[in-house]
Amino acid sequence: QSVLTQPPSVSEAPRQRVTISCSGSSSNIGNNAVNWYQQLPGEAPKLLIYFDDQLPSGVSDRFSGSKSGTSASLAISGLQSEDEADYLCAAWDDSLNGPVFGGGTKLTVL
Amino acid sequence: QVQLQESGPGLVKPSETLSLTCTVSGGSVSGDYWSWVRQPPGKGLEWIGYIYYSGSTNYNPSLKSRVTISVDTSKNQFSLKLSSVTAADTAVYYCARFITSAYYFDSWGRGTLVTVSS
């Protein structure tokens, strides 16, 4: 059981836009930055979004992040087949005194 | 761009100690925080703990009694020891650099699968 809650899967057609939600509490998302990772099959996670909505160098601007209260969202526009992956949210948790993760959302590009 | 590489046994017997090392290249362990994260097969990520290059540590409370993370600045490595392992500790273990300004992992190793089995 992950501390942050994500839908297990989402799917959308190529060139469309999809959003992935991440729900937490006041001890994590509500009080700390949210970060997103992309995990391609069989690979290590890759930082996608940090500090709620910042893109690391080299990450496509088709990816964007937002946060409101104790929830956050990742949006991917102009979907491509190469975007098929697991997407995980994470945040610092003040109660744990450490980072916590969502269970991950598997994106299928139809 | 810093690169990380995990190394260690892929098979550990129950009740024994899991030991892994992460070698950092393209940068120095000095000045940064370094972490271990694991992922059981088909499951989500779990933070194990992190260490500052000076040696100060912070562990996940659920694992704290069994975990030791250490750093060797002369070898540009940091290590994980997890004692009294059970099948529940079977997972892919990742090492990563931890950025404390916004609490994210910006560089990851490829991961190494450790199976606990007799």
Side-chain angles (χ1 to χ4, degrees):
Chain A
Q1 188 86 5
S2 299
V3 175
L4 306 181
T5 301
Q6 299 181 237
S9 63
V10 295
S11 59
E12 186 54 89
R15 298 179 297 282
Q16 299 304 305
R17 182 177 184 270
V18 70
T19 61
I20 297 172
S21 62
C22 176
S23 178
S25 68
S26 58
S27 67
N28 41 67
I29 293 178
N31 199 38
N32 297 291
V34 176
N35 309 301
W36 291 89
Y37 301 89
Q38 177 192 59
Q39 188 171 27
L40 296 170
E43 296 192 8
K46 169 191 168 185
L47 181 66
L48 202 60
I49 297 282
Y50 68 99
F51 215 94
D52 298 338
D53 57 8
Q54 300 299 299
L55 266 66
S57 174
V59 172
S60 170
D61 60 5
R62 296 188 298 107
F63 296 93
S64 62
S66 63
K67 187 179 82 171
S68 178
T70 59
S71 294
S73 292
L74 171 70
I76 311 171
S77 60
L79 277 171
Q80 302 174 4
S81 58
E82 66 199 52
D83 297 331
E84 285 202 338
D86 286 330
Y87 292 87
L88 304 100
C89 60
W92 182 267
D93 189 283
D94 295 329
S95 299
L96 177 71
N97 194 37
V100 292
F101 295 92
T105 298
K106 181 176 178 59
L107 169 64
T108 300
V109 180
L110 300 170
Chain B
Q1 178 77 358
V2 67
Q3 294 185 318
L4 299 90
Q5 177 66 58
E6 305 88 351
S7 59
L11 181 64
V12 181
K13 290 182 168 56
S15 80
E16 296 190 343
T17 296
L18 178 160
S19 296
L20 295 174
T21 296
C22 183
T23 300
V24 178
S25 58
S28 172
V29 297
S30 298
D32 282 318
Y33 288 82
W34 304 93
S35 186
W36 289 95
V37 178
R38 70 180 182 179
Q39 186 170 34
K43 296 187 178 181
L45 297 170
E46 180 182 33
W47 167 69
I48 298 171
Y50 63 72
I51 188 166
Y52 190 46
Y53 79 101
S54 63
S56 61
T57 55
N58 183 24
Y59 300 137
N60 188 322
S62 69
L63 299 168
K64 187 174 183 177
S65 64
R66 299 193 291 131
V67 172
T68 301
I69 298 176
S70 59
V71 64
D72 187 335
T73 55
S74 67
K75 294 182 178 179
N76 225 31
Q77 297 176 332
F78 62 104
S79 299
L80 169 70
K81 290 188 184 299
L82 181 66
S83 64
S84 304
V85 297
T86 69
D89 295 310
T90 294
V92 175
Y93 286 75
Y94 297 101
C95 59
R97 183 169 68 179
F98 188 52
I99 305 300
T100 56
S101 59
Y103 303 118
Y104 60 91
F105 304 94
D106 73 333
S107 299
W108 296 70
R110 295 173 62 92
T112 187
L113 174 63
V114 179
T115 301
V116 179
S117 175
S118 55

